[in-house]
Amino acid sequence: MARVNSLSGSGVEAPHRVVRFFEILPGLATWTMIVLPIVLSIYAPVVVAYFIIAFDLFWLMKSFRMSSALLVGHRRLRIATQLDWVARLKHLEAMMAGEGTEEVEQAIVEAKREQSFFWFLSRKGRRQNEQLQQLHVELDNLKNTQAFRKPVKPSEVIHVVILATYNETLETLRPSIKALAQVNYDLSKIWFVVAYEERGGDVDRERVATLQREFKGQFARFLSFEHPDGIVGEERGKGANITHAGREVLKVIRDEGLHIPNIMVTTLDADHRPDPEYFNHLTYSFVTS
């Protein structure tokens, strides 16, 4: 009778030889990649030479691509940190109230008037050009948003922030929540949710209770949800914890009759500290997308 094994954790049974093959395959592939170039360098050195050249060119191109992406990302980050996101949200709100895009158009005219012909020769000129380009982007976004029949106003957006924790100390959690409470955004539009694990026991429950006492009244809501342990078919981890908290928050949102399309959800690790302008930037991107 053929020997039958169960594939670990899957509940699927397969012949013993099949299971052993898949167990051996990762190690076999690794050792083959290590030993094969050495063997081929003796019996087929030309093949190995071409392979090494192609391999080096491949990683050279990947390094160029990564470097260019880093430069583009750094440029976008620098531009984003220089923009007044509060003013941008005010432009959006005013435009949706029927005031149009005249203010942004006037800002573009003034920026063009101040820009010199040789702007690219100085750092100040390049910075002014970046701001001018951002104004053009903002104008396009405003016009696109204006084309919607019922656009979401920035003041109508509600942010739900879910922080997942398991055995983190108050020394780790407290600074993260303090940073969230100090963002340059209306805290009455932020719901803060702590997602903690049942397997953390009374220690985690007491930490969450302490945080609720310390930060009570600073956010529109301060909610906490305990993720049950041992749910059948569910893998232990942060993702399952956040998913459970998200489902529970959704129940509260529906009970209060809030408009779900106006809600943005942000998930944080226990040691994450958002930038003061994070919610302004996120709100602008959400409303104009």
Side-chain angles (χ1 to χ4, degrees), residues 157-230:
V157 177
I158 294 176
H159 292 275
V160 175
V161 181
I162 302 177
L163 184 145
T165 177
Y166 173 57
N167 282 343
E168 280 86 7
T169 63
L170 288 174
E171 287 71 23
T172 300
L173 296 169
R174 191 178 283 118
S176 300
I177 304 177
K178 281 185 178 179
L180 182 63
Q182 294 171 355
V183 296
N184 184 28
Y185 195 77
D186 184 3
L187 297 184
S188 66
K189 301 293 184 181
I190 296 178
W191 289 30
F192 181 68
V193 181
V194 179
Y196 65 100
E197 297 283 1
E198 179 187 20
R199 65 181 187 270
D202 292 335
V203 176
D204 269 7
R205 295 188 188 98
E206 181 57 33
R207 289 190 186 117
V208 173
T210 300
L211 293 172
Q212 284 183 310
R213 288 193 297 269
E214 291 181 6
F215 294 94
K216 181 180 179 181
Q218 296 199 30
F219 304 100
R221 299 284 190 282
F222 191 123
L223 306 174
S224 61
F225 299 105
E226 182 179 287
H227 177 225
D229 192 24

Side-chain angles (χ1 to χ4, degrees), residues 36-278:
L36 192 61
I38 300 174
V39 175
L40 288 178
S41 64
I42 299 173
Y43 298 100
V46 176
V47 174
V48 176
Y50 279 118
F51 170 78
I52 292 175
I53 293 173
F55 185 81
D56 289 344
L57 289 174
F58 170 77
W59 282 105
L60 180 64
M61 295 302 296
K62 282 187 71 70
S63 65
F64 282 145
R65 180 182 177 185
M66 182 181 296
S67 299
S68 61
L70 285 172
L71 291 173
V72 172
H74 179 265
R75 178 177 177 273
R76 290 177 178 175
L77 177 63
R78 187 182 68 228
I79 294 173
T81 56
Q82 294 172 351
L83 295 175
D84 188 345
W85 292 104
V86 175
R88 284 189 148 203
L89 290 179
K90 289 180 179 178
H91 291 163
L92 275 177
E93 196 80 28
M95 181 272 298
M96 293 177 182
E99 296 182 16
T101 60
E102 291 80 5
E103 187 174 350
V104 180
E105 292 173 344
Q106 182 61 33
I108 291 175
V109 172
E110 293 177 359
K112 287 182 176 179
R113 187 183 299 121
E114 295 177 359
Q115 188 180 43
S116 66
F117 184 77
F118 298 101
W119 58 265
F120 51 87
L121 296 178
S122 67
R123 180 178 297 179
K124 180 180 178 181
R126 291 192 296 270
R127 188 182 301 116
Q128 289 176 336
N129 183 68
E130 290 174 352
Q131 293 173 349
L132 176 61
Q133 297 304 317
Q134 285 299 313
L135 285 172
H136 280 293
V137 172
E138 180 176 358
L139 181 61
D140 291 339
N141 289 335
L142 289 174
K143 290 181 177 179
N144 291 336
T145 304
Q146 202 171 29
F148 294 152
R149 293 183 178 179
K150 293 183 179 180
V152 179
K153 295 181 180 179
S155 58
E156 297 173 342
V157 177
I158 294 176
H159 292 275
V160 175
V161 181
I162 302 177
L163 184 145
T165 177
Y166 173 57
N167 282 343
E168 280 86 7
T169 63
L170 288 174
E171 287 71 23
T172 300
L173 296 169
R174 191 178 283 118
S176 300
I177 304 177
K178 281 185 178 179
L180 182 63
Q182 294 171 355
V183 296
N184 184 28
Y185 195 77
D186 184 3
L187 297 184
S188 66
K189 301 293 184 181
I190 296 178
W191 289 30
F192 181 68
V193 181
V194 179
Y196 65 100
E197 297 283 1
E198 179 187 20
R199 65 181 187 270
D202 292 335
V203 176
D204 269 7
R205 295 188 188 98
E206 181 57 33
R207 289 190 186 117
V208 173
T210 300
L211 293 172
Q212 284 183 310
R213 288 193 297 269
E214 291 181 6
F215 294 94
K216 181 180 179 181
Q218 296 199 30
F219 304 100
R221 299 284 190 282
F222 191 123
L223 306 174
S224 61
F225 299 105
E226 182 179 287
H227 177 225
D229 192 24
I231 297 177
V232 178
E234 182 182 79
E235 292 289 338
R236 284 183 171 183
K238 184 181 74 172
N241 186 11
I242 291 175
T243 300
H244 173 263
R247 289 170 178 161
E248 296 299 318
V249 173
L250 183 59
K251 294 177 184 177
V252 178
I253 290 172
R254 284 174 172 165
D255 289 341
E256 297 198 9
L258 298 178
H259 191 47
I260 294 177
N262 291 3
I263 296 173
M264 286 290 295
V265 179
T266 296
T267 61
L268 300 177
D269 282 347
D271 57 350
H272 282 181
R273 303 177 189 181
D275 185 89
E277 298 297 328
Y278 168 74

